Each structure stands twice: as structure tokens, then as C-alpha cells.
Amino acid sequence: MSWLSLFNLGEAEHICDAIRITILNRVHAGDPTGWQANDLRRFVLDPLDSYIAEHFDSNLRGIQIQIEMARALFDVAERLSELFADEYPFFVEDATAWQERLWRPWVEFVAFGSAHRIYWDIPAKRKQAREAASRKRTWPDVEDVVSFMGPRGLTYLSEDQAKELAAMCPDDIKEPPSVRTIRRRVKEARGRGLLPPK
């Protein structure tokens, strides 16, 4: 199971509530709890293992706070899983206590594991999008494509021909157009009746 599911707080709340109900059912009806140990392994411990393996960077010095939070959550979930596997004789007050004991480190893990998306990744992507939108993108326009294709008698541009046109990019434009952009211009030219239909 993917570790991305760990960041779904609705799912986390559901699992924590299931923990509380499992303990209450154990106390009041003597229901077995071993099955819940398997669910904790599948939905919490295994994804946390994957997350830690993927995000731990041995080259970084100091504390990697998101890894510390993941390990704290792992420790609580692992202890609870052991108790369930051992069919531990819980008390009524354990239900809410374990629910909260699992919920708190989960919320902290989500906060520390995703905070960088808000303060770093999203602003960086917005900046990149603004820069991309502000770039001069006037070439090739539909007329440039038609003037390239007309003298050559082309009604279709192969990938090599599209790359040839892209290579004619003026020096004042930082990046030449992609083949996809050129094909889009060809389609626009056809739509305006400047090129014969396919």
C-alpha cells in the first residue's frame, strides 16, 4: 500500500476510531483483536516503512523531523499492533486513550511531512508557472507554420520536419518551440482554412 494514504486525515481518523471500537468490543464482548494487528500492519506500519525508506537521507546531518515524526507514529502503531496480536485484556478507558495516542503522532507526522509543500513546493511551482506565462511565445504563429509548409508543398509535418521548423527559432526567443506546439499551430492553421484538411 502506498504511503500517500497516510496523509489522508479522514482515513487516519477512521483507523483511530476503529482502534477505539476494537478495544471496546474486546472489553464488553470479549471479541478477538488479532485481526486488527494485521490491519495496522497493512494500513499503517507497512506504508510508514515505505515512507521512511524513501525519504530518509543518510547524507543529511541533524534531525530529519518528518522521519522522526514517522518513527514516532510507527512506534505507537507497532506497540498497539503487538497488544492486539497478544489479545491483550484492555480496560474501557484504554479505548479513548489509545485512539488519542495514535491520533496525535499521526497529525504531527502529516504536519511535518507535508509542510514543505505549502512553504516551498507550491510557491516554487507558482513562480515557475508565472515565468512560463510571461515568456515571449509569439513564435511560431500560424502564419510562420504556413509559410514553412507552403513552399515545401507540405500538408503534414513529420517529427523531423517539425524539429527543422523549431530550429528556425529566432535568437531573441529563449527556448525553441516543441514539436507538440508546432503540431498545435498546424491544427490551428487547418482550422482557419490556411492549410488543406488532412
Side-chain angles (χ1 to χ4, degrees):
M1 175 169 249
S2 167
W3 54 260
L4 286 171
S5 61
L6 294 169
F7 288 87
N8 180 346
L9 283 179
E11 183 68 17
E13 190 174 21
H14 171 74
I15 290 170
C16 291
D17 196 46
I19 295 303
R20 182 183 59 80
I21 292 167
T22 300
I23 293 173
L24 288 176
N25 288 344
R26 172 73 173 162
V27 171
H28 295 304
D31 289 355
T33 58
W35 63 273
Q36 190 65 273
N38 294 332
D39 279 359
L40 279 171
R41 170 64 51 197
R42 180 177 171 208
F43 295 111
V44 183
L45 296 172
D46 288 345
L48 279 169
D49 268 339
S50 298
Y51 177 87
I52 292 168
E54 191 173 323
H55 290 83
F56 178 73
D57 188 347
S58 58
N59 295 322
L60 290 179
R61 294 184 179 198
I63 294 175
Q64 296 174 50
I65 193 69
Q66 74 278 14
I67 300 299
E68 295 302 312
M69 295 296 107
R71 286 181 176 148
L73 175 57
F74 187 95
D75 290 345
V76 173
E78 185 177 46
R79 179 64 185 135
L80 189 52
S81 178
E82 290 167 355
L83 293 174
F84 283 147
D86 292 342
E87 300 292 342
Y88 183 78
F90 293 100
F91 297 100
V92 172
E93 57 270 16
D94 291 334
T96 303
W98 275 105
Q99 179 186 25
E100 290 174 4
R101 195 168 165 193
L102 187 62
W103 174 250
R104 278 199 186 113
W106 204 324
V107 170
E108 289 174 355
F109 162 72
V110 169
F112 283 101
S114 60
H116 70 281
R117 292 277 300 140
I118 301 299
Y119 76 81
W120 180 258
D121 291 354
I122 291 174
K125 284 187 178 183
R126 284 183 179 163
K127 181 181 177 191
Q128 183 182 18
R130 276 195 306 273
E131 288 172 356
S134 67
R135 282 190 205 129
K136 184 177 178 184
R137 294 189 182 271
T138 57
W139 192 90
D141 61 17
V142 169
E143 287 74 20
D144 294 321
V145 171
V146 171
S147 65
F148 176 83
M149 294 174 72
R152 291 169 176 82
L154 300 172
T155 57
Y156 168 80
L157 285 181
S158 69
E159 188 157 330
D160 288 340
Q161 291 163 333
K163 286 179 182 175
E164 181 185 344
L165 175 56
M168 298 168 65
C169 180
D171 292 336
D172 63 335
I173 295 177
K174 291 180 183 176
E175 294 178 33
S178 67
V179 169
R180 183 176 168 197
T181 298
I182 290 172
R183 291 221 169 110
R184 197 166 47 243
R185 297 292 181 269
V186 170
K187 186 176 178 183
E188 290 169 20
R190 278 205 180 87
R192 288 172 46 185
L194 300 173
L195 288 172
K198 254 183 166 179

